[in-house]
Amino acid sequence: MLSVFLCKAAKKGLSLIGRGSSLPGAITLKLSPNVLTKVTLPEKTIAVTGSNGKTSTTELVRRLAEGAGFSVVSNSEGSNQIEGITTALLSAADGSGRVKADVAVLESDERFCQYTFSQITPGAIIVGNLYRDQMTRNGHSEFVRKELKKGLPAGSRLIMNADEPVSASLAEGRDNVIWFGVEQWAFRESDDIEHAYDDGAFCPKCHGRMNYRYRVQSHLGAYKCTKCGYERPTPHHAVTGIDGDHFIVDGNYRVKPEAVNVMYAYNIAAAFCAGVEILGLTPEKTAELLNDIQLQNEKLKRIKDYKVGDKDITFMLCKHENSIAYNATFSSVTNEDHGDVSVVVIVDQLSRKYVADDMSWLWDLDFAYFRRPNVKKVIFAGGFADDLASRALFCGVDNDKIITDSNLEDMMQDIKDSTEGKVFVTTCFTDAPKFDALCRKENA
Amino acid sequence: MVRIGWLYGDLLSMYGNYANASVLAKRLEESGCDSEVIEFTVGKHPDLSGCDILICGCGTELGTLAVLDDLMSIKDQLREMADAGKYMLFTGTSYGMLLDSITDLDGNAHEGLGIVSGTCVYDEKRRYSEFIMNCGLTSAKVLGCINTSSTYKTDATPMFSVSYDSAGIIGESEGVQYNNVIGTELEGPILWRNPDLLDSLASRLAGRKLERNTSAWRMHVDKGYEHLLAILEDAKAHGRK
């Protein structure tokens, strides 16, 4: 296959200028649009898709497979659209198009599965969840669900989140679905915060009203539609408890995650399914291999430490236009276990490419977390600082706590002068480099 | 007392539309004008006849059809309220419900409220654009965005003239206006995004011109508006998409 050599050569050359992830595949697809139909996949191919957590889950499954002694090809460091997957697969293929690996682990954007998986059929596809995510680009979760449905080939076995009703409804009419979940004994949403919206209010199938026995997070939990009876399936594998810094999986197996939080619990449960049901490992071996994995992927370094003046800063990478990510961060940093805290939220820019300035997503965030008494100062920074402040004030956050800095240099000064207690800074990857650059300048 | 009927806040809850009802109530109360928000949704149908304004927001397309099915039970009452000059603000997908029909992705036409003559047709393609618009309710420019999979056809009086449409998805005018009924695809908390529009609507409902709001909250709202206006004016001047 000429395409294989072309893609490999392009990757070699373009990697030198940092463009070796997506562009080689894009060039190859331009010349041979159906090139992936000619590829012979490894015997075990696992794709990962969904709104949140797919990069982490891909990395966990990749590390799990490698730990089990399989040779693995993955796009975990690169683009998750068809171009990136083409680069990853062809770069690992021989001249006949056979991918030289035991296992392929492929992260795929949820809206673009339909293009990639019209050409290749993964043996299994993990569908993590569908949340409100970058709605200016993606539209709403019902729209994404419709798009994702086109990208789940009948020949692929689905590994699905039993707790998330929107994506789980895609299993209708499919046999042999593997379900994962998190039991209420591990995580259960507290009642102290009234959420801004509820995507679990109505059934994604019939729009009847839903009842929940409990919720794990947002619209994830034990749901049942009062009209059509659609309900949470019983998971085959689940995080069933927490013991210190370990998850308990299936009531028996201890796995230490990088961080004990809800998203990691779902990621571990999904990876556990892949290990036991697809890779053919024992539960004991799967738990052993998943234990204490520190995610190395650069995209996943979400927590960093900085020093600003005499203040130690914990930086937490978040995602603009993704209320689940921000709410999880707000919940975490305002936890009273930290003692007194100050929180800095930067929203300066949504997109580097397009005119995209819609701030309606701020109304999906639970600013009420900042009402907690241990939150001493909240600095809203960046061009949209006033939008953040008005949203927080609307939620009843005390005006005396709030500082707004549309200028990021002013924000740095206020971090030094006005914060109290432990200091957290959070923003999206579009704005994170600005904070990073200011910290470097500060410490130069 | 201004009574605000808030329709289907739990089902049509996309893009923070719920803020339109609560921001309006806050504006009235901060000016000493009592207000009451009356929630109306599936399985909860309080009498709306005493409402001064009905506010309805944006949902998914299927969610909107489910709401329409429920709302048809009071179709005649809503038409009478519209004819009598009651205010209605239907934003995002709920705008389609004001028209004669909504056609879904399978080609099935669902009868609408018929308050304004026109049709709405759902399609598979998602479109997003940001706007600067003008309307008769305020001399300030109205800012907002549209994120849609629908096409609207109507000969009714448009609500807005379009000054800037970043992705070029709409044309020269947008929305509909009939008496005091406003239908627009603009979505999200447009009364928060556009404080002068909020003042205008609140004053009309209060029956008097409300004094300037100088609360800390409002100062941030005003600054946020100015910031976005500058961005969009700059994008317009440079022809950015």
Side-chain angles (χ1 to χ4, degrees):
Chain A
M1 273 175 68
L2 189 59
S3 302
V4 172
F5 298 109
L6 172 71
C7 190
K8 285 185 176 182
K11 181 176 169 63
K12 197 169 183 180
L14 291 167
S15 292
L16 298 173
I17 55 169
R19 301 290 306 276
S21 162
S22 178
L23 195 51
I27 294 168
T28 309
L29 287 162
K30 195 85 176 166
L31 297 170
S32 181
N34 298 315
V35 65
L36 288 180
T37 61
K38 299 166 191 161
V39 166
T40 305
L41 292 173
E43 189 182 336
K44 296 179 191 300
T45 299
I46 303 166
V48 182
T49 191
S51 301
N52 285 21
K54 51 187 178 288
T55 304
S56 300
T57 304
T58 301
E59 178 82 344
L60 286 171
V61 176
R62 180 179 74 80
R63 299 275 294 278
L64 172 64
E66 286 175 348
F70 295 111
S71 59
V72 181
V73 59
S74 177
N75 64 332
S76 62
E77 295 281 348
S79 156
N80 63 12
Q81 297 186 14
I82 188 171
E83 295 84 359
I85 289 174
T86 300
T87 302
L89 291 177
L90 293 191
S91 298
D94 63 18
S96 69
R98 178 175 296 279
V99 178
K100 295 182 293 182
D102 302 320
V103 177
V105 185
L106 305 173
E107 176 185 335
S108 179
D109 182 281
E110 58 276 23
R111 279 182 61 200
F112 292 87
C113 285
Q114 58 189 298
Y115 306 112
T116 311
F117 303 148
S118 65
Q119 297 201 32
I120 57 173
T121 302
I125 302 177
I126 296 172
V127 182
N129 50 61
L130 289 175
Y131 290 117
R132 297 183 182 198
D133 174 41
Q134 292 186 287
M135 290 160 82
T136 54
R137 187 175 74 89
N138 288 331
H140 50 66
S141 54
E142 181 183 288
F143 177 78
V144 178
R145 178 189 178 278
K146 185 163 59 69
E147 296 296 295
L148 176 56
K149 189 175 183 181
K150 300 174 197 168
L152 301 176
S156 296
R157 192 172 183 195
L158 300 183
I159 301 174
M160 306 200 81
N161 188 338
D163 296 350
E164 198 283 287
V166 182
S167 61
S169 66
L170 288 166
E172 190 171 64
R174 312 270 305 212
D175 295 329
N176 225 8
V177 173
I178 304 163
W179 296 102
F180 66 91
V182 171
E183 298 294 349
Q184 60 177 324
W185 321 116
F187 287 96
R188 186 166 182 161
E189 198 160 70
S190 65
D191 298 326
D192 70 330
I193 297 293
E194 187 179 342
H195 296 298
Y197 68 91
D198 180 9
D199 277 344
F202 290 88
C203 174
K205 288 187 173 184
C206 75
H207 287 91
R209 198 172 285 280
M210 296 259 265
N211 276 342
Y212 280 76
R213 276 194 294 115
Y214 62 86
R215 295 193 190 223
V216 173
Q217 179 195 54
S218 184
H219 63 294
L220 280 68
Y223 52 85
K224 183 169 185 175
C225 175
T226 56
K227 188 173 169 189
C228 73
Y230 171 52
E231 64 183 325
R232 175 197 192 237
T234 303
H236 294 91
H237 302 286
V239 169
T240 51
I242 298 171
D243 181 13
D245 55 1
H246 283 71
F247 291 142
I248 307 300
V249 182
D250 289 355
N252 201 22
Y253 307 103
R254 291 167 59 83
V255 176
K256 184 181 178 187
E258 190 170 37
V260 178
N261 64 40
V262 175
M263 283 311 297
Y264 271 92
Y266 281 108
N267 297 342
I268 290 285
F272 196 88
C273 284
V276 173
E277 305 291 345
I278 306 300
L279 298 177
L281 308 175
T282 63
E284 292 81 1
K285 187 69 178 173
T286 301
E288 178 194 323
L289 292 170
L290 285 174
N291 191 56
D292 207 13
I293 289 181
Q294 300 296 309
L295 300 174
Q296 294 167 341
N297 187 327
E298 272 301 316
K299 284 159 69 181
L300 298 173
K301 287 187 179 167
R302 298 209 160 124
I303 301 174
K304 293 181 181 176
D305 295 322
Y306 287 96
K307 188 105 178 166
V308 176
D310 63 351
K311 300 290 172 74
D312 292 316
I313 312 286
T314 301
F315 174 84
M316 302 183 76
L317 188 62
C318 218
K319 198 175 177 187
H320 293 339
E321 300 185 86
N322 188 305
S323 52
I324 290 293
Y326 266 103
N327 288 342
T329 301
F330 289 174
S331 169
S332 166
V333 301
T334 61
N335 190 309
E336 59 188 17
D337 291 348
H338 295 304
D340 290 350
V341 299
S342 294
V343 185
V344 183
V345 185
I346 305 170
V347 180
D348 197 49
Q349 191 177 30
L350 290 193
S351 171
R352 299 188 193 113
K353 279 186 181 174
Y354 307 109
V355 176
D357 309 286
D358 173 35
M359 286 294 135
S360 63
W361 60 279
L362 297 182
W363 290 83
D364 285 344
L365 305 194
D366 296 327
F367 283 87
Y369 285 112
F370 297 134
R371 291 204 304 252
R372 287 177 168 170
N374 65 318
V375 178
K376 299 302 177 189
K377 286 288 174 197
V378 187
I379 300 177
F380 294 123
F384 294 99
D386 287 296
D387 287 347
L388 288 159
S390 67
R391 181 70 188 89
L393 285 168
F394 192 86
C395 268
V397 179
D398 186 348
N399 191 36
D400 291 340
K401 286 185 182 181
I402 295 174
I403 297 170
T404 51
D405 289 321
S406 56
N407 183 313
L408 298 184
E409 300 268 3
D410 294 342
M411 170 196 75
M412 296 299 279
Q413 196 59 46
D414 277 325
I415 288 174
K416 283 186 275 189
D417 295 345
S418 304
T419 54
E420 299 172 38
K422 197 168 166 51
V423 183
F424 293 94
V425 175
T426 186
T427 189
C428 181
F429 51 81
T430 49
D431 287 329
K434 298 170 189 171
F435 178 70
D436 188 72
L438 285 167
C439 287
R440 285 172 192 274
K441 186 177 162 190
E442 176 79 21
N443 296 310
Chain B
M1 168 71 80
V2 174
R3 291 187 174 82
I4 302 166
W6 181 26
L7 310 185
Y8 305 97
D10 50 0
L11 192 45
L12 303 184
S13 66
M14 310 293 294
Y15 310 109
N17 281 265
Y18 68 91
N20 287 325
S22 40
V23 162
L24 179 59
K26 182 179 178 69
R27 178 68 179 96
L28 289 162
E29 283 163 15
E30 285 184 342
S31 297
C33 182
D34 289 342
S35 69
E36 181 186 5
V37 177
I38 298 161
E39 296 186 30
F40 183 100
T41 188
V42 175
K44 184 181 177 186
H45 283 197
D47 181 15
L48 295 175
S49 59
C51 289
D52 301 288
I53 182 170
L54 302 181
I55 291 182
C56 195
C58 184
T60 66
E61 285 71 22
L62 291 177
T64 304
L65 291 175
V67 163
L68 179 59
D69 188 46
D70 191 66
L71 203 53
M72 288 299 280
S73 63
I74 57 165
K75 175 181 177 177
D76 292 342
Q77 183 189 358
L78 293 176
R79 289 184 65 155
E80 285 166 17
M81 290 174 75
D83 291 343
K86 289 291 177 80
Y87 283 87
M88 297 186 188
L89 176 63
F90 279 50
T91 56
T93 55
S94 68
Y95 161 29
M97 299 195 301
L98 295 172
L99 306 178
D100 293 320
S101 67
I102 298 176
T103 302
D104 65 24
L105 286 177
D106 296 324
N108 302 313
H110 302 253
E111 184 186 350
L113 298 172
I115 291 171
V116 180
S117 179
T119 60
C120 169
V121 178
Y122 293 164
D123 59 60
E124 296 267 4
K125 198 173 171 193
R126 203 82 203 160
R127 299 172 287 280
Y128 176 80
S129 190
E130 300 195 357
F131 291 87
I132 303 172
M133 298 186 180
N134 297 293
C135 72
L137 277 180
T138 170
S139 58
K141 289 166 180 169
V142 173
L143 313 179
C145 66
I146 291 176
N147 194 343
T148 185
S149 300
S150 305
T151 302
Y152 292 81
K153 284 188 181 167
T154 175
D155 293 325
T157 306
M159 179 62 203
F160 298 104
S161 63
V162 175
S163 168
Y164 172 61
D165 173 356
S166 67
I169 66 171
I170 290 295
E172 294 178 353
S173 63
E174 200 281 326
V176 291
Q177 186 172 21
Y178 164 69
N179 286 347
N180 289 318
V181 175
I182 298 167
T184 174
E185 275 203 277
L186 283 180
E187 64 210 356
I190 62 170
L191 297 182
W192 165 72
R193 184 76 286 169
N194 296 282
D196 280 352
L197 183 63
L198 171 64
D199 289 348
S200 169
L201 196 55
S203 292
R204 285 162 194 256
L205 289 165
R208 61 181 168 88
K209 184 170 171 50
L210 299 181
E211 62 277 19
R212 189 164 177 265
N213 186 339
T214 56
S215 68
W217 175 76
R218 176 55 183 261
M219 295 300 102
H220 288 299
V221 174
D222 288 343
K223 285 184 187 173
Y225 171 85
E226 293 299 334
H227 174 68
L228 181 58
L229 178 63
I231 289 176
L232 293 181
E233 291 282 22
D234 185 64
K236 179 186 175 186
H238 293 91
R240 280 203 296 276
K241 298 281 184 189

